[in-house]
Amino acid sequence: MFEKENQKHLHPHSHLFSERKNFIPRLISWNMTFRCNLRCPHCYIDAGERAGKRELSTEEGKALIDQIAEVSKPILILSGGEPLLRDDVFELARYATEKGLIVTMGTNGTLITDSVAKELKSSGVKADAVSIDSAVPDRHDAFRSVKGAWERALDGIDTCIENGIGVQVSTTVTQQNYDEIDDIMASAKYDHAVRPVCAPQFMRIASQKGLNIDQWTRGCIAGLAYCRIYPTGEVTPCPYLPVKVGNIRETPFEEIWFGSPILNAMRDFDRLKGKCGACEYRDICGGCRARAYGLTSFVDVCGGLQEPGELKGDYLAEEPWCPYTPGGEKNPKS
């Protein structure tokens, strides 16, 4: 992160990312397919009924897993689209498990029957992240554009738990459901912990409130300990930062992870600009690099399909939505 002469400027919790050798992938999301049985308007890859062209084949998927395992043994999130629509999903999950990766799945939950859950369990899948966006069935179904999606998703959660598979409830917070968060948590029915995602300022606010932030990781870990694999093999720092840093069909994952100038720039917090660069919380927050990129490239990073491409904006710019002024009041209103 920083050289020794700069360590006097570090936040007390910067031990989380204190040495460059710690920049190894701990979490990788693989969008296995463009195909999905729901039609969610917020989907960042515009998943639909048909698989996309040139999705990684079974053998290419295994080669990807081999390449990842040579670098580290991270959590591998099998995602999509809807990963359960890939005929080889259990085969690939089992292969990744055998290679020492911790396999989880991001799913809408509607296809998880008892037989599917048993197959997931036997394939080594440790947990499923199931999307629930409202405590009101009709609202969830409207958001997912398919009637009955809410009930089937909750049935899927129950089935996972009955078969010994951990469950994470994922909620996309919007203007339409932000006042339902407590109800959504209650509808999950089981004991749970809350983990914010894509909300890096949470770490600053938690620190200011005196909470123990060691229970969480850095606000934004894109490019530091996390990346995304696109269905056609492109590697991006995260799903919402559509900058291609390589393609595993052309370059081994190890070379992409350690050799990408973009990823290495993201790991040097001295290169952050504007308020983020001057902020005393940059070590534990970092701002959203996707929002910074989107506002400087005029790309709507949260609005549907963004194919990985060449660099157009400034991913190191200051976080455009952060209200905090570096060095400002002790407990700013957020």
Side-chain angles (χ1 to χ4, degrees), residues 173-220:
V173 181
T174 67
Q175 290 180 334
Q176 288 73 39
N177 72 353
Y178 76 93
D179 58 347
E180 288 189 64
I181 300 304
D182 288 343
D183 292 335
I184 293 172
M185 291 171 62
S187 70
K189 297 180 289 184
Y190 300 94
D191 292 337
H192 51 266
V194 178
R195 183 170 66 90
V197 178
C198 296
Q201 289 82 13
F202 172 87
M203 293 293 282
R204 166 182 60 81
I205 297 169
S207 180
Q208 290 171 326
K209 291 184 177 294
L211 300 180
N212 176 18
I213 64 173
D214 288 338
Q215 61 185 304
W216 301 293
T217 186
R218 185 176 187 263
C220 178

Side-chain angles (χ1 to χ4, degrees), residues 125 191 228 255 267 291 301 309 324 331:
V125 174
D191 292 337
R228 181 273 297 263
E255 290 184 26
R267 296 163 190 164
R291 284 195 288 266
V301 296
Y324 181 67
N331 292 294

Side-chain angles (χ1 to χ4, degrees), residues 137-149:
D138 287 345
R139 289 183 182 176
H140 175 91
D141 293 354
F143 192 58
R144 298 284 165 175
S145 301
V146 172
K147 188 70 173 175

Side-chain angles (χ1 to χ4, degrees), residues 197-333:
V197 178
C198 296
Q201 289 82 13
F202 172 87
M203 293 293 282
R204 166 182 60 81
I205 297 169
S207 180
Q208 290 171 326
K209 291 184 177 294
L211 300 180
N212 176 18
I213 64 173
D214 288 338
Q215 61 185 304
W216 301 293
T217 186
R218 185 176 187 263
C220 178
I221 60 171
L224 282 64
Y226 170 72
C227 68
R228 181 273 297 263
I229 312 296
Y230 199 65
T232 51
E234 288 85 0
V235 181
T236 71
C238 83
Y240 306 103
L241 182 51
V243 178
K244 175 184 174 180
V245 298
N247 188 307
I248 61 97
R249 281 173 162 155
E250 304 163 356
T251 309
F253 178 76
E254 183 175 16
E255 290 184 26
I256 295 172
W257 180 261
F258 290 112
S260 164
I262 292 173
L263 295 183
N264 282 309
M266 296 178 73
R267 296 163 190 164
D268 184 353
F269 303 161
D270 280 337
R271 296 185 64 173
L272 293 175
K273 301 175 183 178
K275 292 196 303 181
C276 288
C279 186
E280 63 269 35
Y281 293 101
R282 64 181 180 176
D283 303 347
I284 61 171
C285 171
C288 177
R289 299 299 95 219
R291 284 195 288 266
Y293 181 79
L295 267 291
T296 57
S297 64
F298 302 102
V299 171
D300 183 4
V301 296
C302 296
L305 178 65
Q306 294 294 337
E307 295 185 1
E310 301 304 315
L311 195 62
K312 297 178 181 178
D314 190 353
Y315 58 95
L316 297 173
E318 69 178 41
E319 156 70 80
W321 288 1
C322 180
Y324 181 67
T325 300
E329 58 181 300
K330 201 167 187 179
N331 292 294
K333 295 179 180 179

